[in-house]
């Protein structure tokens, strides 16, 4: 939980440094090395970020979870992890996973008129 608070503070500091309101905050993803307690902290952090940043928050985590398509993916989703079909290792996304993230960011940017 302390790491989550520090991360939220770091995000706020970066945004303050920007000096403008043209930014997006993306949800965090859980590594498969994270235990259930850590996954729960990260999921709470995403809820906190959504509350703090409203329409500037892009929930790529949920979009990735919704894109699982196999029994193995479903096991990952149940544990709170990005589906393995969208990861190259414990956390980093494949091209397909990155494309999902890019589409969500693009959609939000267009909605913002950027």
């Amino acid at each position: 939980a302390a790491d989550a608070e520090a991360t939220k503070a770091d995000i706020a500091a970066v945004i303050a440094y920007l000096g403008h309101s043209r930014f997006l905050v993306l949800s965090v993803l859980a590594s498969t090395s994270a235990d259930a307690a850590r996954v729960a902290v990260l999921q709470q952090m995403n809820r906190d970020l959504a509350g703090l940043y409203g329409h500037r928050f892009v929930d790529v985590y949920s979009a990735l979870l919704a894109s699982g398509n196999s029994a193995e993916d479903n096991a990952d989703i149940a544990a709170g992890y990005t589906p393995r079909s969208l990861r190259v290792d414990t956390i980093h996304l494949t091209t397909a996973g990155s494309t999902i993230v890019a589409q969500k960011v693009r959609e939000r940017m267009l909605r913002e008129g950027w």
Side-chain angles (χ1 to χ4, degrees):
D3 289 345
E5 292 305 315
T7 299
K8 288 187 289 187
D10 289 345
I11 292 168
V14 169
I15 291 167
Y17 181 79
L18 288 174
H20 59 78
S21 62
R22 195 171 170 180
F23 66 87
L24 297 173
V25 175
L26 278 59
S27 52
V28 297
L29 307 178
S31 167
T32 58
S33 64
D35 63 15
R38 182 72 176 151
V39 170
V41 167
L42 294 173
Q43 289 171 337
Q44 182 59 52
M45 188 167 88
N46 283 332
R47 289 188 293 275
D48 292 348
L49 291 172
L52 288 167
Y53 297 106
H55 67 98
R56 299 261 186 248
F57 178 76
V58 182
D59 188 1
V60 298
Y61 176 70
S62 291
L64 291 164
L65 294 184
S67 298
N69 58 16
S70 70
E72 292 84 7
D73 283 353
N74 289 339
D76 288 338
I77 292 165
Y81 306 137
T82 301
R84 68 190 66 201
S85 66
L86 301 175
R87 289 184 281 110
V88 295
D89 56 20
T90 63
I91 187 83
H92 298 98
L93 300 174
T94 63
T95 299
S98 295
T99 298
I100 291 166
V101 171
Q103 287 171 339
K104 295 303 285 184
V105 170
R106 181 180 184 276
E107 288 169 9
R108 184 58 54 90
M109 289 174 69
L110 290 173
R111 199 172 327 149
E112 295 294 323
W114 300 344

